[in-house]
Amino acid sequence: MILLCGIPTESPLALVAQELAALGHPFAVFHQRRWAEYGLEGAVRDGCVTGRLRLGPLKVALEEVRGVYTRLMDDRRLPDVEGRPAGDPWSARCRALHAALAGWTEVMPGRVVNRAAPQGSNASKPYQAQLIARHGLAVPRTLVTNDPEAVLDFRRRHGRVIFKSISGVRSIVRELHDDDLRRLERIRWCPVQFQEHVEGFDVRVHCVGGEVHACAVASEAVDYRYAVHQVGTPAVLEPYALDGDLATRCLALTDALGLELSGIDLRLDGDGRAWCFEVNPSPAFSYYEHHTGLPIARAIARHLAAA
Amino acid sequence: MRLLLHDPVDASARWLRDGLRARGVDLEAVSSAELLRARRWHHEVGTDGASVAIALVDGRTIPSAEVRGAVNRLTAVPPLSGPVAGDDREYAAQELHAFWLSWLAALPGPMLNRPTPYSLCGLWLDGAQWTLRAARAGLPCGPLTLGDAAQVPPPAAGDTAQAPPLGPTAWLVVACGAVFGTPEAAPLAPGCTALARDVGAELLGVGLAPGPDGDLRFATATTLPDLRPAGAPLLDLLARRLA
């Protein structure tokens, strides 16, 4: 049995469900909007996890679940929970269920795409960059500082410089222009991340179950996800054949970070060097699959079914 | 230079500071409040490695090139002061946590304990995860309920199998592979060191409680243990580890 967790109409979850159905593999869905109809009762005893998950009328023995694909949203943002006062019993029950589910997915012996612990590195980009560099991929020179003079010096050294959030929140990449320097003093309140701009073209790599699915992204935008907003035209995506060594390094990096599925953001420069910006542990791969036809959902479904 | 990084209220940190300095360790003690108010931060990351330089308001400077080791007892970034309000305050808190995780990871030398994404002073696990890891490490464990509280009925009177784990009545401290603590828990020492190794913690506190048969078994664990009961032998060991 495979368990899919999230909102079933969300594209990545819907695509994986479709592929599991095509494989004829049994699966159940934890429909997050219906959390109030659900319950989880389990125990850790003698190093084993036992119990059951109640999904409305359906009861699933935890021991029978061999794989989990999770795309859960922040349960505090669910429509029937958000805005309720602190201590509200409805919200507390929702939180307790999600905490139990999260706790179980961290300790269940099957395959979880992805567990929460290894996803954590993505919550700090410079922290993750240190891990990436240790595993054989180049990372752009990055400065985090609250010192405006240090930023000006960094810009003198590197020419074009971008800035972006340190955490995964409000993660939009922007170039540092002369106009921005007028408000540089504001960084004294909270350090900001600046990064050298790397010339080249973007390649998005999805790794799952030993498979590598890569696509090239052509765009003039600093952040191609916001290409329409930044340059007025959408990015163009097409499948890309990654060379064997780079594919191997992407798989090794995914494994080293403890991930079953990764979305790796690379930029290949004029010398053919691969620069890694980020490893996304919960990639919205459907955007890339829709534009390129890469069979990423099928690879995820096969990986889960093989658990 | 060796660092002792700690929260403002941490009796173990004060005890460590005095004990390690008395043993000749060149130790700079820096609190999270002092770090939050730092005059200047400069943290660089690249393919060739990472560095950090901190200038504190009291004039002290901490360049990572001069750091030879650290005891890290930081639990969280204190709330940000200054002209930040509303959603920006939550955003700033997440940015600061992400930043502190990164500069801590950039410090060279032995660090007790290394930061992890969910906890600045080492791995953070919930009860079920600790219990499972402890069982795998060979420690005796009681049953642990894993469920949403609203769905799980309270235990019946006298039903010890359903009872939640008792609070710890004894603690062992694992430090750099050595175990300090109460003599009656000595048989559990190998399991405790295996657990510390499994979670990558050089400093781990393991809480023990008697089971229905009276024998001690695993109750909980923390990467931020009270170190004081371990006394002078622990200080001697940490002074050697940071030398």
Side-chain angles (χ1 to χ4, degrees):
Chain A
M1 171 69 78
I2 302 298
L3 181 67
L4 307 181
C5 302
I7 311 289
T9 51
E10 199 237 358
S11 295
L13 203 72
L15 286 174
V16 172
Q18 188 179 307
E19 294 294 341
L20 282 170
L23 288 173
H25 200 90
F27 66 93
V29 178
F30 180 98
H31 186 331
Q32 206 176 2
R33 290 264 174 86
R34 294 189 184 155
W35 68 267
E37 302 165 30
Y38 298 167
L40 189 150
E41 297 155 15
V44 179
R45 195 184 299 263
D46 301 328
C48 296
V49 184
T50 58
R52 67 176 183 173
L53 178 63
R54 183 171 52 77
L55 303 170
L58 178 67
K59 292 179 176 60
V60 178
L62 298 181
E63 309 87 286
E64 290 176 8
V65 180
R66 312 302 309 155
V68 178
Y69 177 52
T70 175
R71 291 277 304 170
L72 290 169
M73 64 176 285
D74 183 346
D75 54 271
R76 294 167 303 176
R77 303 273 182 250
L78 286 167
D80 59 341
V81 172
E82 189 168 27
R84 286 177 177 262
D88 168 68
W90 183 262
S91 306
R93 184 165 167 248
C94 179
R95 184 79 283 276
L97 176 65
H98 282 85
L101 184 66
W104 169 67
T105 55
E106 288 302 282
V107 300
M108 62 91 73
R111 184 170 284 164
V112 180
V113 180
N114 279 313
R115 293 191 203 270
Q119 289 196 50
S121 74
N122 193 235
S124 170
K125 294 186 181 81
Y127 171 76
Q128 193 188 55
Q130 294 179 57
L131 302 180
I132 291 167
R134 274 180 222 150
H135 291 98
L137 284 166
V139 296
R141 198 77 201 164
T142 300
L143 168 69
V144 186
T145 188
N146 62 348
D147 179 2
E149 280 301 319
V151 179
L152 296 174
D153 180 59
F154 188 75
R155 196 177 184 223
R156 276 192 292 271
R157 279 191 282 150
H158 295 289
R160 290 180 71 185
V161 168
I162 59 95
F163 63 101
K164 58 185 180 182
S165 66
I166 309 168
S167 67
V169 184
R170 300 187 191 175
S171 181
I172 300 175
V173 184
R174 293 193 181 90
E175 186 165 351
L176 182 68
H177 294 295
D178 289 343
D179 285 353
D180 299 313
L181 302 181
R182 285 180 304 189
R183 53 194 180 108
L184 206 50
E185 279 295 317
R186 289 164 67 179
I187 72 171
R188 291 193 192 279
W189 290 105
C190 185
V192 172
Q193 177 175 231
F194 301 87
Q195 196 168 72
E196 66 170 314
H197 176 80
V198 176
E199 295 288 348
F201 67 96
D202 290 306
V203 174
R204 172 63 171 236
V205 183
H206 290 94
C207 295
V208 59
E211 294 184 29
V212 177
H213 299 279
C215 64
V217 184
S219 174
E220 294 299 316
V222 172
D223 189 336
Y224 68 79
R225 298 169 303 169
Y226 303 93
V228 173
H229 176 71
Q230 291 185 347
V231 295
T233 53
V236 177
L237 285 68
E238 59 180 21
Y240 182 80
L242 219 54
D243 80 53
D245 174 59
L246 187 51
T248 301
R249 279 188 284 159
C250 288
L251 285 170
L253 176 60
T254 302
D255 193 45
L257 295 179
L259 299 170
E260 301 286 341
L261 165 68
S262 67
I264 303 177
D265 289 324
L266 300 179
R267 185 165 291 167
L268 304 190
D269 68 16
D271 299 326
R273 189 179 194 192
W275 297 83
C276 184
F277 291 108
E278 189 177 347
V279 180
N280 190 324
S282 184
F285 67 86
S286 49
Y287 168 76
Y288 303 90
E289 180 159 333
H290 282 139
H291 283 81
T292 62
L294 289 169
I296 305 166
R298 194 175 309 157
I300 296 169
R302 274 203 302 263
H303 189 54
L304 288 165
Chain B
M1 175 195 297
R2 279 78 182 169
L3 295 176
L4 171 59
L5 307 169
H6 61 90
D7 290 346
V9 180
D10 183 346
S12 276
R14 287 197 301 276
W15 174 80
L16 264 182
R17 179 196 61 199
D18 296 343
L20 291 174
R21 281 181 178 165
R23 283 159 177 78
V25 177
D26 168 24
L27 192 74
E28 284 292 345
V30 186
S31 76
S32 55
E34 291 173 305
L35 289 166
L36 187 70
R37 293 195 307 268
R39 192 164 43 79
R40 183 173 184 269
W41 285 99
H42 189 111
H43 175 38
E44 288 209 33
V45 178
T47 309
D48 55 351
S51 65
V52 62
I54 311 163
L56 301 172
V57 290
D58 62 8
R60 288 184 292 168
T61 57
I62 304 166
S64 57
E66 293 180 14
V67 174
R68 298 286 176 269
V71 177
N72 170 27
R73 291 178 61 86
L74 295 173
T75 56
V77 183
L80 187 69
S81 57
V84 183
D87 288 349
D88 283 346
R89 185 168 288 274
E90 189 177 340
Y91 170 68
Q94 300 213 38
E95 288 289 284
L96 285 170
H97 175 84
F99 174 50
W100 284 35
L101 171 61
S102 185
W103 72 258
L104 282 168
L107 290 175
M111 178 179 276
L112 296 66
N113 288 316
R114 286 258 155 218
T116 62
Y118 294 108
S119 174
L120 293 179
C121 63
L123 201 61
W124 181 89
L125 297 174
D126 69 11
Q129 293 177 63
W130 275 123
T131 299
L132 198 68
R133 296 247 195 169
R136 287 176 184 165
L139 288 168
C141 299
L144 182 88
T145 299
L146 179 78
D148 48 313
Q151 306 291 324
V152 180
D159 184 359
T160 53
Q162 288 293 315
L166 296 169
T169 57
W171 283 89
L172 290 178
V173 173
V174 184
C176 313
V179 181
F180 303 86
T182 179
E184 62 267 29
L188 303 185
C192 292
T193 53
L195 177 61
R197 204 165 43 243
D198 179 44
V199 301
E202 287 209 63
L203 282 176
L204 184 74
V206 181
L208 306 166
D213 57 2
D215 291 342
L216 286 175
R217 62 188 188 184
F218 176 86
T220 188
T222 175
T223 53
L224 194 76
D226 183 358
L227 301 172
R228 293 169 296 173
L234 173 65
L235 290 169
D236 293 340
L237 175 71
L238 294 183
R240 288 197 302 274
R241 179 74 178 102
L242 295 171

